[in-house]
Amino acid sequence: MKLRQLTELEWEIEKEPPMLVPGRVFASKPLLKIIQEDESLKQLNNMAQLPGIQKYAIALPDAHQGYGFCIGGVAALSTSEGGISPGGIGFDINCGVRVIKTKLKRKEVEPCIKELTNSLFTGVPKGIGKGSIINVPRNELKEVLARGSNWAKDKGFATDSDLRHTEDNGYLKNNNPDFVSDRAVNRGLPEVGSLGSGNHFLEIQFVEEIYNESVSKVFGLERDDVVVMVHCGSRGLGHQVASDYMRSIEDAYPDIVKNLPDRELAYAPGGSDLADKYFKAMNCAANFAWANRQLITYSVRNVFEKFFDHSRGALGMELLYDVCHNIAKIETYDGVECYVHRKGATRSFPKNHPDVPEDYKNVGQPVIIPGSMGTGCHILVGSEGALKKSFGSTAHGAGRLMSRTKAYKEFPAVKVNQIMQDKGIYLKSETKGTISEEAPGVYKDVDEVVRVSDQLDLAKKVCRLKPLGVIIG
Amino acid sequence: MNYEYLDTSTADLTIRAFGKDLKEAFTNSAMAVFNTMVDAGSVSEQEIKLVSKKAKDIKSLFYDFIEEIIYFHDAEGLVFKTVKVEDIDEKNNTLRAVFKGENFNPKKHKPKNNIKAITYYDMKISHKNSGFEIEFTLDL
């Protein structure tokens, strides 16, 4: 594999058979060095072999090893010549992040951060034996799958403004709940409105630094404003949809799978019945994830209302935005309609793009990039460069640096708790294991990931958020 | 040693399980998965789940076998203590197994990891000198 430097932050894996296009890596030298330590580039090379792939296979600055595609990977496959690959989306369909604003200031929240975090920990269920926000009857789950955040709105869990400030308004209409298996439904039923565990989190943060005053103003964020960030996805339902269709595709297209370098790149050819079914089932899982994050938002607002004895309106608990970072969308680039696979990648649409909400039309969509729990998160704004270079995409997080087994050894829970305490961050977790796995040192430097994104114009920096209280499942 | 956690995967969890035969390697793989969710030692045997699978090849059979554990956990809230693989037919790729466990109870069981899925990534089912070895990766 030949890696060639194109510019300071752009690298190319030269096209060699059986690759159909080159690979493109967006990274600084230090980030590239980390990316080269695992199988990410080999996976990028594999992605470049998929039929119908446009321009190049992309690894973003937070890229790390996944299965099939690398995480932090983008590939646009023509809807006619290519196809759709569940392994290019990930098991956690529509895993995503949202930010809920408040009118509270850091100095009002910091003194009671422990109590507030504990209240949220109790108020937001984690799923499986740990409860979910509501029990949805089986026949109603179809409504969740078909209507996403619209279902939540009808039930009183969402406002019009929430929907306007969610990617795709929190609902993808090209769906069909009949294509979601009973097994997936059974896994989803006990989990409607639950955070999950692993790298999923809920954080109370404040605006630490503003890089772009005018955009920040449009987003309604000022220095020291307190916000709540939620990171989770479609839970077991989405995982089962991915598993089910990987199997269906393998069974239906053994010849395709046989010729792929990795079984998990299996794709349903564009125009096939299976591609249509998977796309519609995936959109159901995406709708489930939005409904899930919306229910969590509802619970967060309830906890804040009770805790501060003010209405959510008075507390200014508006949704800034909600992005999904594991999904395939049908979008058109250079006249070619594609399934744009974003696996651990955030859509980054610039100002005046038709898919940017009206309130942000003049600046671009908010792009939310969380870092590890001890460092910070960034709000960026979608930019033109992304449309030219990365099929309208940028990074989705800091990206993992080391394996979980190594994390256990290097970051025992006691040590992580101490690190967090030293940083003035209150950490509440269900398990010790997760504390180690999510330790700040386990992730790459999010500031560097964001710097690369900003410099390449994939998304521009707006402000940096710092955690005060962290909940992990 | 029945199984070990490997250091090869950045985001996920790779497990290598051993067995004198395929039955035992499957059993130890399942035990590793049980212990990834909670400490299997803290679980009682109150619920019994019978599993019968048929697949097109041995890797798919193994995938389905492990996926069943994840499914029972998510859909029915179960955690497991033991597994007995009663029969594996390597020619026809079929198996029958019995899982024993109980409902997850936060007062009794400490949750460890939420498993999203088993993956085919770098999955290896190989015959080694004195038995079988299975390497597989869980998406957490």
Side-chain angles (χ1 to χ4, degrees), chain A residues 38-39 43 64-65 67 91 128-129 183 186-187 190-191 197 235-236 239-240 243 247 250-251 262-264 400 402-406 408 430-431 437, chain B residues 5-12 56-57 59-60 63-64 67-68 70-71 73-75 104 106 111-121 139-140:
Chain A
D38 65 18
E39 300 282 308
Q43 293 181 329
H64 58 99
Q65 182 181 330
Y67 43 86
F91 283 103
I128 300 301
R183 276 172 80 83
N186 291 344
R187 282 179 73 175
E191 298 183 336
S197 65
R235 314 284 286 108
H239 313 160
Q240 192 65 43
S243 285
R247 174 58 55 85
E250 270 198 327
D251 290 346
D262 177 355
R263 197 167 174 171
E264 252 151 3
R400 293 187 83 90
M402 65 173 74
S403 68
R404 289 166 199 268
T405 31
K406 211 165 173 187
Y408 292 134
E430 196 84 48
T431 71
E437 289 170 16
Chain B
Y5 295 110
L6 302 183
D7 217 359
T8 50
S9 180
T10 334
D12 311 311
K56 66 172 187 297
D57 55 39
K59 282 188 182 175
S60 303
Y63 186 105
D64 290 352
E67 193 192 73
E68 204 67 3
I70 303 165
Y71 173 77
H73 180 69
D74 271 13
F104 174 81
K112 287 205 219 158
N113 286 287
N114 182 38
I115 304 172
K116 288 179 188 164
I118 161 144
T119 75
Y120 282 117
Y121 189 72
D139 187 3
L140 299 189

Coordinates of all heavy atoms in Angstrom, one line a residue, chain A residues 38-39 43 64-65 67 91 128-129 183 186-187 190-191 197 235-236 239-240 243 247 250-251 262-264 400 402-406 408 430-431 437, chain B residues 5-12 56-57 59-60 63-64 67-68 70-71 73-75 104 106 111-121 139-140:
Chain A
D38 N -3.4 0.9 13.6 CA -4.3 -0.3 13.5 C -4.7 -0.6 12.1 O -3.9 -0.2 11.2 CB -5.6 0.0 14.4 CG -6.4 1.1 14.0 OD1 -6.3 1.6 12.8 OD2 -7.2 1.6 14.7
E39 N -5.8 -1.2 11.8 CA -6.1 -1.7 10.5 C -6.9 -0.7 9.7 O -7.4 -1.1 8.6 CB -6.9 -3.0 10.6 CG -6.2 -4.2 11.3 CD -5.2 -4.8 10.5 OE1 -5.6 -5.2 9.4 OE2 -4.0 -4.9 10.9
Q43 N -8.6 -1.2 5.9 CA -10.0 -1.2 5.7 C -10.4 -0.1 4.7 O -11.4 -0.3 3.9 CB -10.7 -0.9 7.0 CG -10.5 -2.1 8.0 CD -11.2 -2.0 9.3 OE1 -11.4 -0.9 9.8 NE2 -11.6 -3.1 9.9
H64 N -10.5 5.1 13.1 CA -9.9 4.0 13.7 C -10.6 2.7 13.3 O -11.6 2.7 12.5 CB -9.9 4.1 15.3 CG -11.3 4.3 15.9 ND1 -12.0 3.3 16.4 CD2 -12.1 5.4 16.0 CE1 -13.1 3.7 16.9 NE2 -13.2 5.0 16.6
Q65 N -10.0 1.6 13.6 CA -10.4 0.3 13.1 C -11.8 -0.1 13.5 O -12.2 0.0 14.7 CB -9.4 -0.8 13.7 CG -9.7 -2.2 13.2 CD -8.7 -3.1 13.8 OE1 -7.5 -2.7 14.1 NE2 -9.1 -4.3 14.0
Y67 N -15.1 -2.8 11.6 CA -15.2 -4.0 10.9 C -15.9 -3.7 9.6 O -16.7 -2.7 9.5 CB -16.1 -5.0 11.7 CG -17.3 -4.3 12.2 CD1 -18.5 -4.2 11.5 CD2 -17.3 -3.7 13.5 CE1 -19.5 -3.4 11.9 CE2 -18.4 -2.9 13.9 CZ -19.5 -2.8 13.1 OH -20.5 -2.1 13.5
F91 N -23.4 -1.2 13.4 CA -24.5 -1.9 14.0 C -25.4 -0.9 14.7 O -26.6 -1.0 14.8 CB -24.0 -2.9 15.1 CG -23.5 -4.1 14.4 CD1 -22.2 -4.4 14.3 CD2 -24.4 -5.1 14.0 CE1 -21.7 -5.6 13.7 CE2 -24.0 -6.2 13.4 CZ -22.6 -6.5 13.2
I128 N -32.3 -2.3 29.7 CA -32.1 -3.7 30.1 C -32.0 -3.8 31.7 O -31.0 -3.6 32.3 CB -30.8 -4.3 29.6 CG1 -30.8 -4.4 28.1 CG2 -30.5 -5.7 30.1 CD1 -32.0 -5.1 27.6
G129 N -33.2 -4.1 32.2 CA -33.2 -4.3 33.7 C -33.0 -3.0 34.4 O -33.3 -2.9 35.6
R183 N -37.5 -10.1 15.7 CA -36.4 -10.2 16.7 C -35.9 -8.8 17.0 O -35.6 -8.4 18.1 CB -35.2 -11.0 16.1 CG -35.3 -12.5 16.3 CD -34.2 -13.2 15.5 NE -32.9 -13.2 16.1 CZ -32.5 -14.1 17.1 NH1 -33.4 -15.0 17.5 NH2 -31.3 -14.0 17.6
N186 N -38.4 -7.1 19.2 CA -38.4 -7.6 20.5 C -37.2 -7.0 21.3 O -37.3 -6.8 22.5 CB -38.2 -9.1 20.5 CG -39.4 -9.8 20.0 OD1 -40.5 -9.2 20.0 ND2 -39.3 -11.1 19.6
R187 N -36.1 -6.7 20.6 CA -35.0 -6.1 21.3 C -35.2 -4.6 21.5 O -34.7 -4.1 22.5 CB -33.7 -6.3 20.4 CG -33.1 -7.7 20.5 CD -31.8 -7.8 19.7 NE -30.7 -7.1 20.2 CZ -29.4 -7.2 19.7 NH1 -29.2 -7.9 18.6 NH2 -28.4 -6.5 20.2
P190 N -38.1 -3.1 25.0 CA -37.8 -2.7 26.4 C -36.9 -1.5 26.4 O -36.5 -1.1 27.5 CB -37.2 -4.0 27.0 CG -37.0 -4.9 25.9 CD -37.4 -4.3 24.6
E191 N -36.5 -0.9 25.3 CA -35.5 0.0 25.3 C -35.9 1.4 24.8 O -35.0 2.2 24.4 CB -34.3 -0.5 24.5 CG -33.7 -1.8 25.1 CD -32.5 -2.3 24.4 OE1 -32.3 -2.0 23.2 OE2 -31.7 -3.0 25.0
S197 N -25.2 1.8 27.2 CA -23.9 1.9 27.9 C -22.8 2.0 27.0 O -22.9 2.4 25.8 CB -23.7 0.8 28.9 OG -23.6 -0.4 28.2
R235 N -30.0 1.5 19.9 CA -30.1 0.4 20.8 C -30.2 -1.0 20.1 O -29.8 -1.1 19.0 CB -31.2 0.6 21.9 CG -31.3 2.0 22.4 CD -30.2 2.3 23.5 NE -30.5 1.6 24.7 CZ -29.9 0.6 25.2 NH1 -28.9 0.1 24.5 NH2 -30.2 0.0 26.3
G236 N -30.7 -2.0 20.8 CA -30.7 -3.4 20.3 C -31.5 -3.5 19.0 O -31.1 -4.3 18.1
H239 N -29.1 -2.6 16.2 CA -28.1 -3.7 16.0 C -28.6 -4.9 15.3 O -28.0 -5.5 14.5 CB -27.6 -4.1 17.4 CG -27.2 -2.9 18.3 ND1 -27.1 -3.0 19.7 CD2 -27.0 -1.6 18.0 CE1 -26.8 -1.9 20.2 NE2 -26.7 -1.0 19.2
Q240 N -29.9 -5.2 15.7 CA -30.5 -6.4 15.1 C -30.8 -6.2 13.6 O -30.6 -7.1 12.8 CB -31.8 -6.8 15.9 CG -32.3 -8.2 15.5 CD -31.3 -9.3 15.9 OE1 -30.7 -9.3 17.0 NE2 -31.1 -10.3 15.0
S243 N -27.6 -6.8 11.8 CA -27.2 -8.2 11.8 C -28.1 -8.9 10.8 O -27.7 -9.7 10.0 CB -27.4 -8.8 13.1 OG -26.4 -8.5 14.0
R247 N -26.9 -10.8 7.1 CA -27.1 -12.2 6.8 C -27.9 -12.4 5.5 O -27.6 -13.2 4.7 CB -27.8 -12.8 8.0 CG -28.3 -14.3 7.8 CD -27.2 -15.2 7.5 NE -26.1 -15.2 8.4 CZ -26.0 -15.9 9.5 NH1 -27.0 -16.7 9.8 NH2 -25.0 -15.8 10.3
E250 N -25.8 -11.7 2.6 CA -24.8 -12.9 2.4 C -25.5 -14.1 1.7 O -25.0 -14.7 0.8 CB -24.3 -13.4 3.7 CG -23.1 -12.7 4.2 CD -22.5 -13.5 5.3 OE1 -23.2 -14.2 6.1 OE2 -21.2 -13.5 5.3
D251 N -26.7 -14.3 2.2 CA -27.5 -15.5 1.6 C -27.9 -15.2 0.2 O -27.9 -16.2 -0.6 CB -28.7 -15.8 2.5 CG -28.3 -16.4 3.9 OD1 -27.1 -16.8 4.0 OD2 -29.1 -16.4 4.8
D262 N -13.4 -8.6 2.6 CA -13.9 -8.8 4.0 C -15.4 -9.0 4.0 O -16.1 -8.3 3.3 CB -13.6 -7.5 4.8 CG -14.1 -7.4 6.2 OD1 -14.8 -8.4 6.6 OD2 -13.8 -6.5 6.9
R263 N -15.8 -10.1 4.6 CA -17.2 -10.5 4.6 C -18.1 -9.4 5.1 O -19.3 -9.3 4.6 CB -17.3 -11.7 5.6 CG -18.5 -12.5 5.5 CD -18.4 -13.8 6.3 NE -19.6 -14.6 6.3 CZ -19.7 -15.8 6.8 NH1 -18.6 -16.4 7.3 NH2 -20.8 -16.4 6.8
E264 N -17.6 -8.5 5.9 CA -18.5 -7.5 6.4 C -18.6 -6.2 5.5 O -19.2 -5.2 5.9 CB -18.1 -7.1 7.8 CG -19.1 -7.6 8.7 CD -18.7 -7.9 10.1 OE1 -17.5 -7.8 10.5 OE2 -19.6 -8.4 10.9
R400 N -11.0 6.3 19.0 CA -10.3 5.6 20.1 C -8.8 5.4 19.7 O -8.4 5.3 18.6 CB -10.9 4.2 20.3 CG -12.3 4.2 20.8 CD -12.8 2.8 21.1 NE -12.3 2.4 22.4 CZ -12.9 2.6 23.6 NH1 -14.1 3.2 23.6 NH2 -12.4 2.2 24.7
M402 N -6.7 3.2 21.9 CA -6.2 1.9 22.4 C -7.4 1.0 22.6 O -8.5 1.4 22.8 CB -5.4 2.1 23.7 CG -6.2 2.6 24.9 SD -5.2 2.5 26.4 CE -4.1 3.9 26.1
S403 N -7.0 -0.3 22.7 CA -8.1 -1.3 22.9 C -8.6 -1.3 24.3 O -8.0 -0.7 25.2 CB -7.4 -2.7 22.7 OG -6.5 -3.0 23.7
R404 N -9.7 -1.9 24.5 CA -10.4 -1.9 25.8 C -9.5 -2.7 26.8 O -9.4 -2.3 28.0 CB -11.8 -2.6 25.7 CG -12.7 -1.7 25.0 CD -14.0 -2.4 24.6 NE -14.7 -1.7 23.5 CZ -15.6 -0.8 23.7 NH1 -16.0 -0.5 24.9 NH2 -16.2 -0.2 22.7
T405 N -8.9 -3.8 26.4 CA -8.1 -4.6 27.3 C -6.9 -3.7 27.8 O -6.6 -3.7 29.0 CB -7.5 -5.8 26.6 OG1 -7.4 -5.5 25.2 CG2 -8.5 -7.0 26.7
K406 N -6.3 -2.9 26.9 CA -5.2 -2.1 27.3 C -5.7 -1.0 28.2 O -5.1 -0.6 29.2 CB -4.6 -1.4 26.0 CG -3.2 -1.1 26.1 CD -2.6 -0.9 24.8 CE -1.2 -0.4 24.8 NZ -0.7 0.0 23.5
Y408 N -8.2 -1.2 30.4 CA -8.3 -1.7 31.7 C -7.0 -1.7 32.5 O -7.0 -1.4 33.7 CB -8.8 -3.2 31.7 CG -10.2 -3.4 31.1 CD1 -10.5 -4.3 30.2 CD2 -11.3 -2.5 31.6 CE1 -11.8 -4.5 29.7 CE2 -12.6 -2.7 31.1 CZ -12.8 -3.7 30.1 OH -14.1 -3.8 29.6
E430 N -22.4 3.5 35.8 CA -23.1 2.3 36.2 C -22.0 1.2 36.5 O -22.2 0.4 37.4 CB -24.0 1.8 35.0 CG -25.0 0.7 35.4 CD -26.3 1.3 36.0 OE1 -26.8 2.3 35.4 OE2 -26.7 0.8 37.0
T431 N -20.9 1.2 35.8 CA -19.9 0.1 36.0 C -18.5 0.7 36.0 O -18.2 1.7 35.4 CB -20.0 -0.9 34.8 OG1 -19.5 -0.2 33.7 CG2 -21.4 -1.4 34.6
E437 N -12.8 2.0 30.1 CA -12.9 2.0 28.6 C -13.1 3.4 28.1 O -12.7 3.7 26.9 CB -14.1 1.2 28.2 CG -13.9 -0.3 28.4 CD -15.2 -1.0 28.2 OE1 -16.2 -0.5 27.6 OE2 -15.3 -2.2 28.6
Chain B
Y5 N -9.0 -12.4 26.5 CA -9.3 -11.2 25.7 C -8.0 -10.8 25.0 O -6.9 -10.7 25.6 CB -9.8 -10.1 26.6 CG -11.1 -10.5 27.3 CD1 -11.1 -10.7 28.7 CD2 -12.2 -10.5 26.6 CE1 -12.3 -11.0 29.3 CE2 -13.5 -10.8 27.2 CZ -13.5 -11.1 28.5 OH -14.7 -11.4 29.1
L6 N -8.1 -10.5 23.7 CA -7.0 -10.1 22.9 C -6.9 -8.6 22.8 O -7.8 -7.8 23.0 CB -7.0 -10.7 21.5 CG -7.1 -12.2 21.5 CD1 -7.1 -12.7 20.0 CD2 -5.9 -12.8 22.2
D7 N -5.7 -8.1 22.5 CA -5.4 -6.7 22.5 C -5.4 -6.1 21.1 O -4.8 -5.1 20.8 CB -4.0 -6.5 23.1 CG -4.0 -5.3 24.0 OD1 -5.0 -4.6 24.0 OD2 -2.9 -5.0 24.6
T8 N -6.1 -6.7 20.2 CA -5.9 -6.4 18.7 C -6.9 -5.4 18.2 O -6.7 -4.8 17.1 CB -6.1 -7.7 17.9 OG1 -7.3 -8.3 18.3 CG2 -5.0 -8.6 18.1
S9 N -8.0 -5.1 18.9 CA -9.0 -4.3 18.3 C -9.2 -3.0 19.1 O -9.2 -3.0 20.3 CB -10.3 -5.1 18.4 OG -11.4 -4.4 17.9
T10 N -9.2 -1.9 18.3 CA -9.3 -0.6 19.0 C -10.7 -0.3 19.6 O -10.7 0.1 20.8 CB -9.0 0.6 18.0 OG1 -8.2 0.1 16.9 CG2 -8.3 1.7 18.6
A11 N -11.7 -0.5 18.9 CA -13.0 -0.1 19.3 C -13.8 -1.3 20.0 O -14.6 -1.1 20.8 CB -13.8 0.4 18.2
D12 N -13.5 -2.5 19.6 CA -14.3 -3.6 19.9 C -13.6 -4.5 20.9 O -12.5 -4.2 21.4 CB -14.8 -4.3 18.7 CG -15.3 -3.3 17.7 OD1 -16.1 -2.5 18.1 OD2 -14.9 -3.3 16.5
K56 N -25.4 -21.9 7.0 CA -24.8 -22.4 5.8 C -23.3 -22.8 5.9 O -22.8 -23.5 5.1 CB -25.0 -21.4 4.6 CG -24.3 -20.1 4.8 CD -24.5 -19.3 3.5 CE -23.6 -18.1 3.5 NZ -24.0 -17.1 4.6
D57 N -22.7 -22.2 6.9 CA -21.3 -22.7 7.2 C -21.0 -22.5 8.7 O -21.9 -22.0 9.5 CB -20.3 -21.9 6.4 CG -20.5 -20.4 6.5 OD1 -20.7 -19.9 7.7 OD2 -20.3 -19.6 5.5
K59 N -18.9 -20.7 10.4 CA -18.8 -19.3 11.0 C -20.2 -18.7 11.2 O -20.5 -18.0 12.2 CB -18.0 -18.4 10.0 CG -16.5 -18.6 10.1 CD -15.7 -17.6 9.3 CE -14.3 -17.9 9.4 NZ -13.5 -17.0 8.6
S60 N -21.1 -18.9 10.2 CA -22.5 -18.4 10.4 C -23.2 -19.1 11.6 O -23.9 -18.5 12.3 CB -23.3 -18.7 9.1 OG -22.7 -18.1 8.0
Y63 N -21.8 -17.5 14.6 CA -22.4 -16.1 14.7 C -23.8 -16.2 15.3 O -24.2 -15.5 16.2 CB -22.5 -15.5 13.3 CG -22.9 -14.1 13.2 CD1 -22.0 -13.1 12.9 CD2 -24.3 -13.7 13.3 CE1 -22.4 -11.7 12.8 CE2 -24.7 -12.4 13.1 CZ -23.7 -11.4 12.9 OH -24.2 -10.1 12.8
D64 N -24.6 -17.1 14.7 CA -26.0 -17.3 15.2 C -26.1 -17.7 16.7 O -27.0 -17.2 17.4 CB -26.8 -18.3 14.4 CG -27.0 -17.8 13.0 OD1 -26.7 -16.6 12.7 OD2 -27.5 -18.6 12.1
E67 N -25.2 -14.7 18.7 CA -26.2 -13.7 18.6 C -27.4 -14.0 19.5 O -28.1 -13.1 20.0 CB -26.6 -13.5 17.1 CG -27.4 -12.2 16.9 CD -28.1 -12.2 15.6 OE1 -29.1 -12.9 15.4 OE2 -27.7 -11.4 14.7
E68 N -27.7 -15.3 19.6 CA -28.8 -15.7 20.5 C -28.6 -15.2 21.9 O -29.6 -14.8 22.5 CB -28.9 -17.2 20.4 CG -30.2 -17.8 20.7 CD -31.3 -17.5 19.6 OE1 -30.9 -16.9 18.6 OE2 -32.4 -17.9 19.8
I70 N -27.0 -12.5 22.9 CA -27.3 -11.0 22.9 C -28.8 -10.8 22.7 O -29.3 -9.9 23.4 CB -26.5 -10.4 21.7 CG1 -25.0 -10.7 21.8 CG2 -26.7 -8.9 21.6 CD1 -24.2 -10.4 20.5
Y71 N -29.4 -11.6 21.9 CA -30.9 -11.4 21.7 C -31.6 -11.6 23.0 O -32.4 -10.8 23.4 CB -31.4 -12.3 20.6 CG -32.9 -12.3 20.5 CD1 -33.5 -11.3 19.8 CD2 -33.6 -13.4 21.0 CE1 -34.9 -11.3 19.7 CE2 -35.0 -13.3 20.9 CZ -35.6 -12.3 20.3 OH -37.0 -12.3 20.2
H73 N -30.6 -11.4 25.9 CA -30.3 -10.4 26.9 C -31.1 -9.1 26.6 O -31.8 -8.6 27.5 CB -28.8 -10.0 26.8 CG -28.4 -8.9 27.8 ND1 -28.4 -9.1 29.1 CD2 -28.0 -7.7 27.6 CE1 -28.0 -8.0 29.8 NE2 -27.8 -7.1 28.8
D74 N -31.1 -8.7 25.4 CA -31.9 -7.4 25.0 C -33.4 -7.6 25.1 O -34.1 -6.8 25.7 CB -31.5 -7.0 23.6 CG -30.3 -6.1 23.6 OD1 -29.6 -6.0 24.6 OD2 -30.0 -5.4 22.6
A75 N -33.9 -8.7 24.5 CA -35.3 -8.8 24.3 C -36.0 -9.3 25.6 O -37.1 -8.9 25.9 CB -35.6 -9.8 23.2
F104 N -32.0 -10.3 34.5 CA -31.0 -9.4 35.0 C -31.6 -8.6 36.2 O -32.8 -8.1 36.1 CB -30.6 -8.4 34.0 CG -29.7 -7.3 34.5 CD1 -28.3 -7.5 34.7 CD2 -30.2 -6.0 34.8 CE1 -27.5 -6.5 35.2 CE2 -29.4 -5.0 35.3 CZ -28.1 -5.3 35.5
P106 N -30.5 -5.6 38.8 CA -29.4 -4.6 39.1 C -28.9 -4.8 40.6 O -27.8 -4.4 40.9 CB -30.0 -3.3 38.9 CG -31.5 -3.5 38.7 CD -31.7 -4.9 38.3
P111 N -23.7 -4.9 35.9 CA -23.5 -4.9 34.5 C -22.1 -4.5 34.1 O -21.5 -3.6 34.7 CB -24.5 -3.8 34.0 CG -24.7 -2.9 35.2 CD -24.5 -3.8 36.4
K112 N -21.5 -5.2 33.1 CA -20.2 -4.9 32.7 C -20.2 -4.2 31.3 O -19.7 -3.1 31.2 CB -19.4 -6.2 32.6 CG -19.0 -6.7 33.9 CD -17.7 -7.6 33.8 CE -17.7 -8.8 34.5 NZ -16.8 -9.8 34.0
N113 N -20.7 -4.8 30.3 CA -20.7 -4.2 29.0 C -22.0 -4.5 28.3 O -22.6 -5.5 28.5 CB -19.6 -4.9 28.1 CG -18.2 -4.4 28.5 OD1 -17.8 -3.3 28.2 ND2 -17.5 -5.2 29.2
N114 N -22.4 -3.5 27.4 CA -23.5 -3.7 26.6 C -23.0 -4.2 25.2 O -22.2 -3.4 24.6 CB -24.3 -2.4 26.5 CG -25.5 -2.5 25.6 OD1 -26.2 -3.6 25.7 ND2 -25.8 -1.5 24.8
I115 N -23.3 -5.4 24.8 CA -22.8 -5.9 23.5 C -23.8 -5.5 22.4 O -25.0 -5.8 22.5 CB -22.6 -7.4 23.6 CG1 -21.7 -7.8 24.7 CG2 -22.1 -7.9 22.2 CD1 -21.6 -9.3 25.0
K116 N -23.3 -4.8 21.4 CA -24.2 -4.5 20.3 C -24.4 -5.7 19.4 O -25.5 -6.0 19.0 CB -23.6 -3.3 19.5 CG -23.6 -2.0 20.2 CD -23.0 -0.9 19.3 CE -22.8 0.3 20.1 NZ -21.9 1.3 19.5
A117 N -23.3 -6.4 19.1 CA -23.4 -7.5 18.1 C -22.1 -8.3 18.1 O -21.1 -7.8 18.5 CB -23.7 -6.9 16.7
I118 N -22.3 -9.5 17.5 CA -21.1 -10.2 17.2 C -20.8 -9.9 15.7 O -21.7 -9.6 14.9 CB -21.2 -11.7 17.3 CG1 -20.2 -12.5 16.5 CG2 -22.6 -12.2 16.9 CD1 -19.7 -13.7 17.1
T119 N -19.5 -9.8 15.4 CA -19.1 -9.5 14.0 C -18.3 -10.6 13.4 O -17.9 -11.5 14.0 CB -18.2 -8.2 14.0 OG1 -16.9 -8.6 14.4 CG2 -18.7 -7.1 14.9
Y120 N -18.3 -10.6 12.0 CA -17.5 -11.6 11.3 C -16.0 -11.1 11.2 O -15.2 -11.8 10.7 CB -18.0 -11.7 9.9 CG -19.2 -12.6 9.8 CD1 -20.4 -12.1 9.4 CD2 -19.2 -13.9 10.2 CE1 -21.6 -12.8 9.3 CE2 -20.3 -14.7 10.1 CZ -21.5 -14.2 9.6 OH -22.6 -15.0 9.5
Y121 N -15.7 -9.9 11.8 CA -14.4 -9.3 11.5 C -13.3 -10.2 12.0 O -13.3 -10.5 13.2 CB -14.3 -7.9 12.1 CG -13.1 -7.2 11.7 CD1 -12.9 -6.8 10.4 CD2 -12.0 -7.1 12.6 CE1 -11.7 -6.2 10.0 CE2 -10.8 -6.6 12.1 CZ -10.7 -6.1 10.8 OH -9.5 -5.6 10.4
D139 N -18.9 -6.2 18.9 CA -19.0 -4.7 18.8 C -19.7 -4.3 20.1 O -20.8 -4.7 20.4 CB -19.9 -4.4 17.6 CG -19.9 -2.9 17.3 OD1 -19.2 -2.1 18.1 OD2 -20.6 -2.4 16.4
L140 N -19.0 -3.5 20.9 CA -19.5 -3.0 22.2 C -20.1 -1.6 22.0 O -19.6 -0.8 21.2 CB -18.4 -3.0 23.3 CG -17.8 -4.4 23.6 CD1 -16.9 -4.3 24.8 CD2 -18.8 -5.5 23.8

